[in-house]
Amino acid sequence: MIGTATPRDKFLAEFPSLVEELKSILTNYGMPAEAVSWYESSLQHNTPGGKLNRGLSVVDTYAILKGFSSIDELSTEEYKKLAILGWCIELLQAYFLVADDMMDQSITRRGQPCWYKMPNVGDIAINDAFMLEAAIYSLLKNHFKQEKYYVDLLELFHEVTLQTELGQLLDLITAPEDHIDLNKFSLAKHSFIVRFKTAYYSFYLPVALAMYVAGITDPKDLQQARDVLIPLGEYFQVQDDYLDNFGTPEQIGKIGTDIQDNKCSWLINKALEIVTPEQRKLLDENYGQKDATCEARVKKLYDELKLGDYYHAYEEQTAKDITALISKVDESRGFKKDVLTAFFKKVYKRSK
């Protein structure tokens, strides 16, 4: 049985052996020590530094599906298998973030310099991102090739990767930082962007992976999970958009920048639906400008429009809709509503 460390500690304890395993692949190819060391630095800098919620959710979901009261009831072998899949999601996240930071020209990530901003890295980070993605498939091959669901895992990671990149593409061409055109924005576009860019890999992927390991692979059950988790992931991102403007830096751990960064956020799209022509002119002139005065004008307008009230109404309606969807889940083939309820409870009315 697993010991008494926190779930996050247990999960982190699995990472060093995976790093060694991935390094050994390079060594076996005859890569020189300098290259192996570079790869290790990339893995360590980019993979374990976040909240690890996606990876931890694989373990939690499996425990619920198997009827365990806690993850401590998992055997060592079961836990390791699930943790590897969790780390595969964290590697996918790392791959996305290294690339995203270069596209957005970001400076910091998780309280440290972005990888491409590290000494001597620069554009090499593009190749490092590819190698982070490749690590997923090395680990899947090494640990799951003998499983009957191996191809399902491969197809799931490939499909979710494409979905996330489609969301990123639409985001980049809808809201480039250097070309402001609010005519490109809409709530429908926002919904597509966040469902594809965030919901599939952050909410559906951890659950689907755990389902495959648990032997719950009926397409109807996977669809039941998707039908709840994708709108839940959208709600999660709308919360982020709301907190970026209305949350405090102490709450969210950063200063919100969506207005200055020309983000296609829920708030600007809701505003565009309800503004007068005069208010629309103010948004056209001030949104997306790298200027604190322009930002303050937009924030003031958000308050005048009572966007906070619109958000809370959206939140309550979404909560009702998701609760109704969960109540209709068919558990006859082994899937459990508790998986979806656990995700909903983590997200509902969060403040950070």
Short mmCIF file of all heavy atoms in Angstrom, two decimals, residues 182 268 275-289 293-302 304-305:
data_model
loop_
_atom_site.label_atom_id
_atom_site.label_comp_id
_atom_site.label_asym_id
_atom_site.label_seq_id
_atom_site.Cartn_x
_atom_site.Cartn_y
_atom_site.Cartn_z
N LEU A 182 -12.39 44.04 -32.55
CA LEU A 182 -13.43 43.44 -31.72
C LEU A 182 -14.57 42.86 -32.55
O LEU A 182 -15.40 42.11 -32.01
CB LEU A 182 -13.97 44.48 -30.73
CG LEU A 182 -12.95 45.04 -29.72
CD1 LEU A 182 -13.62 45.97 -28.72
CD2 LEU A 182 -12.23 43.92 -28.99
N ILE A 268 -15.34 40.56 -22.20
CA ILE A 268 -15.41 41.47 -23.34
C ILE A 268 -16.52 41.03 -24.30
O ILE A 268 -17.25 41.86 -24.86
CB ILE A 268 -14.04 41.59 -24.07
CG1 ILE A 268 -14.13 42.59 -25.24
CG2 ILE A 268 -13.55 40.25 -24.58
CD1 ILE A 268 -14.42 44.01 -24.84
N VAL A 275 -23.55 46.58 -25.01
CA VAL A 275 -23.13 47.99 -25.00
C VAL A 275 -23.98 48.85 -25.93
O VAL A 275 -24.55 48.37 -26.91
CB VAL A 275 -21.64 48.15 -25.41
CG1 VAL A 275 -20.72 47.70 -24.32
CG2 VAL A 275 -21.36 47.46 -26.74
N THR A 276 -24.02 50.13 -25.61
CA THR A 276 -24.58 51.14 -26.51
C THR A 276 -23.52 51.47 -27.58
O THR A 276 -22.34 51.14 -27.39
CB THR A 276 -24.92 52.42 -25.76
OG1 THR A 276 -23.68 52.98 -25.24
CG2 THR A 276 -25.86 52.15 -24.59
N PRO A 277 -23.89 52.12 -28.68
CA PRO A 277 -22.88 52.53 -29.68
C PRO A 277 -21.75 53.36 -29.08
O PRO A 277 -20.58 53.20 -29.44
CB PRO A 277 -23.70 53.33 -30.69
CG PRO A 277 -25.07 52.74 -30.61
CD PRO A 277 -25.26 52.39 -29.17
N GLU A 278 -22.10 54.22 -28.12
CA GLU A 278 -21.07 55.07 -27.49
C GLU A 278 -20.11 54.22 -26.65
O GLU A 278 -18.88 54.42 -26.69
CB GLU A 278 -21.75 56.12 -26.61
CG GLU A 278 -20.78 57.15 -26.03
CD GLU A 278 -21.49 58.18 -25.14
OE1 GLU A 278 -22.73 58.25 -25.18
OE2 GLU A 278 -20.78 58.88 -24.41
N GLN A 279 -20.66 53.27 -25.93
CA GLN A 279 -19.82 52.38 -25.12
C GLN A 279 -18.96 51.47 -26.00
O GLN A 279 -17.81 51.18 -25.67
CB GLN A 279 -20.70 51.54 -24.19
CG GLN A 279 -21.35 52.34 -23.07
CD GLN A 279 -22.41 51.54 -22.33
OE1 GLN A 279 -23.09 50.68 -22.92
NE2 GLN A 279 -22.58 51.82 -21.04
N ARG A 280 -19.52 51.08 -27.12
CA ARG A 280 -18.76 50.25 -28.07
C ARG A 280 -17.55 51.04 -28.59
O ARG A 280 -16.45 50.49 -28.75
CB ARG A 280 -19.65 49.80 -29.23
CG ARG A 280 -18.92 49.14 -30.40
CD ARG A 280 -18.18 47.88 -29.96
NE ARG A 280 -17.25 47.43 -30.99
CZ ARG A 280 -17.52 46.41 -31.84
NH1 ARG A 280 -18.66 45.76 -31.77
NH2 ARG A 280 -16.63 46.07 -32.73
N LYS A 281 -17.74 52.30 -28.87
CA LYS A 281 -16.64 53.15 -29.33
C LYS A 281 -15.53 53.20 -28.28
O LYS A 281 -14.34 53.11 -28.61
CB LYS A 281 -17.17 54.55 -29.63
CG LYS A 281 -16.15 55.50 -30.25
CD LYS A 281 -16.84 56.77 -30.74
CE LYS A 281 -15.85 57.71 -31.42
NZ LYS A 281 -14.94 58.36 -30.47
N LEU A 282 -15.93 53.30 -27.00
CA LEU A 282 -14.94 53.32 -25.92
C LEU A 282 -14.13 52.02 -25.92
O LEU A 282 -12.90 52.05 -25.77
CB LEU A 282 -15.64 53.52 -24.58
CG LEU A 282 -14.74 53.64 -23.33
CD1 LEU A 282 -15.36 54.57 -22.31
CD2 LEU A 282 -14.47 52.27 -22.69
N LEU A 283 -14.82 50.89 -26.11
CA LEU A 283 -14.11 49.61 -26.13
C LEU A 283 -13.16 49.52 -27.32
O LEU A 283 -12.02 49.07 -27.20
CB LEU A 283 -15.11 48.45 -26.17
CG LEU A 283 -15.88 48.18 -24.88
CD1 LEU A 283 -16.92 47.08 -25.09
CD2 LEU A 283 -14.94 47.78 -23.74
N ASP A 284 -13.62 49.95 -28.50
CA ASP A 284 -12.77 49.91 -29.70
C ASP A 284 -11.50 50.74 -29.51
O ASP A 284 -10.43 50.37 -30.00
CB ASP A 284 -13.54 50.44 -30.92
CG ASP A 284 -14.53 49.42 -31.46
OD1 ASP A 284 -14.26 48.21 -31.36
OD2 ASP A 284 -15.58 49.83 -31.98
N GLU A 285 -11.63 51.83 -28.81
CA GLU A 285 -10.49 52.75 -28.63
C GLU A 285 -9.54 52.32 -27.51
O GLU A 285 -8.36 52.69 -27.52
CB GLU A 285 -11.00 54.16 -28.35
CG GLU A 285 -11.68 54.81 -29.56
CD GLU A 285 -12.36 56.13 -29.20
OE1 GLU A 285 -12.42 56.47 -27.99
OE2 GLU A 285 -12.83 56.80 -30.14
N ASN A 286 -10.03 51.53 -26.55
CA ASN A 286 -9.22 51.27 -25.35
C ASN A 286 -8.87 49.80 -25.11
O ASN A 286 -7.88 49.52 -24.43
CB ASN A 286 -9.96 51.80 -24.11
CG ASN A 286 -10.05 53.32 -24.10
OD1 ASN A 286 -9.11 54.00 -23.72
ND2 ASN A 286 -11.20 53.85 -24.53
N TYR A 287 -9.66 48.87 -25.64
CA TYR A 287 -9.40 47.46 -25.36
C TYR A 287 -8.15 46.99 -26.11
O TYR A 287 -7.92 47.33 -27.27
CB TYR A 287 -10.60 46.59 -25.78
CG TYR A 287 -10.54 45.20 -25.17
CD1 TYR A 287 -10.92 44.98 -23.86
CD2 TYR A 287 -10.06 44.10 -25.91
CE1 TYR A 287 -10.87 43.70 -23.28
CE2 TYR A 287 -10.00 42.83 -25.34
CZ TYR A 287 -10.40 42.64 -24.02
OH TYR A 287 -10.32 41.39 -23.46
N GLY A 288 -7.32 46.21 -25.42
CA GLY A 288 -6.12 45.65 -26.05
C GLY A 288 -4.95 46.61 -26.13
O GLY A 288 -3.92 46.27 -26.73
N GLN A 289 -5.07 47.79 -25.53
CA GLN A 289 -3.97 48.76 -25.54
C GLN A 289 -3.05 48.52 -24.34
O GLN A 289 -3.52 48.28 -23.24
CB GLN A 289 -4.52 50.20 -25.49
CG GLN A 289 -5.50 50.53 -26.60
CD GLN A 289 -4.90 50.40 -27.98
OE1 GLN A 289 -3.74 50.78 -28.20
NE2 GLN A 289 -5.67 49.87 -28.91
N THR A 293 -4.14 53.53 -18.43
CA THR A 293 -5.30 54.43 -18.48
C THR A 293 -6.41 53.84 -19.34
O THR A 293 -7.59 53.88 -18.97
CB THR A 293 -4.89 55.82 -19.04
OG1 THR A 293 -3.82 56.33 -18.25
CG2 THR A 293 -6.07 56.79 -19.00
N CYS A 294 -6.03 53.29 -20.48
CA CYS A 294 -7.01 52.62 -21.35
C CYS A 294 -7.65 51.43 -20.62
O CYS A 294 -8.88 51.23 -20.67
CB CYS A 294 -6.35 52.13 -22.64
SG CYS A 294 -5.75 53.45 -23.72
N GLU A 295 -6.82 50.68 -19.93
CA GLU A 295 -7.32 49.53 -19.17
C GLU A 295 -8.32 49.98 -18.12
O GLU A 295 -9.38 49.35 -17.94
CB GLU A 295 -6.15 48.79 -18.51
CG GLU A 295 -6.57 47.58 -17.70
CD GLU A 295 -5.39 46.95 -16.96
OE1 GLU A 295 -4.61 47.71 -16.33
OE2 GLU A 295 -5.27 45.72 -16.98
N ALA A 296 -8.02 51.07 -17.42
CA ALA A 296 -8.90 51.58 -16.37
C ALA A 296 -10.26 51.99 -16.94
O ALA A 296 -11.30 51.78 -16.30
CB ALA A 296 -8.24 52.76 -15.66
N ARG A 297 -10.25 52.54 -18.16
CA ARG A 297 -11.52 52.92 -18.79
C ARG A 297 -12.39 51.70 -19.07
O ARG A 297 -13.60 51.71 -18.86
CB ARG A 297 -11.25 53.67 -20.10
CG ARG A 297 -10.65 55.06 -19.92
CD ARG A 297 -10.55 55.81 -21.24
NE ARG A 297 -9.76 57.03 -21.10
CZ ARG A 297 -8.66 57.31 -21.78
NH1 ARG A 297 -8.21 56.45 -22.70
NH2 ARG A 297 -8.02 58.43 -21.59
N VAL A 298 -11.75 50.64 -19.53
CA VAL A 298 -12.50 49.41 -19.82
C VAL A 298 -13.02 48.80 -18.53
O VAL A 298 -14.20 48.39 -18.45
CB VAL A 298 -11.61 48.39 -20.57
CG1 VAL A 298 -12.35 47.06 -20.75
CG2 VAL A 298 -11.17 48.94 -21.93
N LYS A 299 -12.18 48.78 -17.48
CA LYS A 299 -12.62 48.24 -16.19
C LYS A 299 -13.82 49.03 -15.64
O LYS A 299 -14.77 48.44 -15.10
CB LYS A 299 -11.47 48.29 -15.18
CG LYS A 299 -10.45 47.15 -15.33
CD LYS A 299 -9.34 47.31 -14.31
CE LYS A 299 -8.48 46.05 -14.23
NZ LYS A 299 -9.13 44.95 -13.49
N LYS A 300 -13.76 50.35 -15.79
CA LYS A 300 -14.87 51.20 -15.32
C LYS A 300 -16.15 50.86 -16.08
O LYS A 300 -17.23 50.76 -15.50
CB LYS A 300 -14.49 52.67 -15.51
CG LYS A 300 -15.50 53.67 -14.95
CD LYS A 300 -14.90 55.06 -14.91
CE LYS A 300 -15.89 56.10 -14.36
NZ LYS A 300 -16.92 56.46 -15.33
N LEU A 301 -16.03 50.66 -17.38
CA LEU A 301 -17.19 50.31 -18.19
C LEU A 301 -17.75 48.94 -17.78
O LEU A 301 -18.96 48.75 -17.70
CB LEU A 301 -16.83 50.31 -19.68
CG LEU A 301 -17.98 49.94 -20.63
CD1 LEU A 301 -19.18 50.87 -20.45
CD2 LEU A 301 -17.51 49.95 -22.08
N TYR A 302 -16.84 47.99 -17.51
CA TYR A 302 -17.30 46.68 -17.03
C TYR A 302 -18.17 46.82 -15.77
O TYR A 302 -19.19 46.14 -15.62
CB TYR A 302 -16.10 45.77 -16.71
CG TYR A 302 -15.42 45.13 -17.90
CD1 TYR A 302 -14.32 44.29 -17.70
CD2 TYR A 302 -15.87 45.34 -19.20
CE1 TYR A 302 -13.69 43.67 -18.77
CE2 TYR A 302 -15.23 44.72 -20.27
CZ TYR A 302 -14.14 43.90 -20.06
OH TYR A 302 -13.52 43.29 -21.12
N GLU A 304 -19.84 49.58 -14.86
CA GLU A 304 -21.09 50.26 -15.24
C GLU A 304 -22.08 49.29 -15.89
O GLU A 304 -23.30 49.40 -15.70
CB GLU A 304 -20.79 51.42 -16.19
CG GLU A 304 -20.07 52.58 -15.52
CD GLU A 304 -19.54 53.60 -16.53
OE1 GLU A 304 -19.85 53.46 -17.74
OE2 GLU A 304 -18.82 54.53 -16.11
N LEU A 305 -21.55 48.35 -16.66
CA LEU A 305 -22.40 47.36 -17.33
C LEU A 305 -22.88 46.26 -16.39
O LEU A 305 -23.69 45.41 -16.78
CB LEU A 305 -21.63 46.72 -18.50
CG LEU A 305 -21.28 47.62 -19.68
CD1 LEU A 305 -20.31 46.90 -20.63
CD2 LEU A 305 -22.54 48.04 -20.43
#
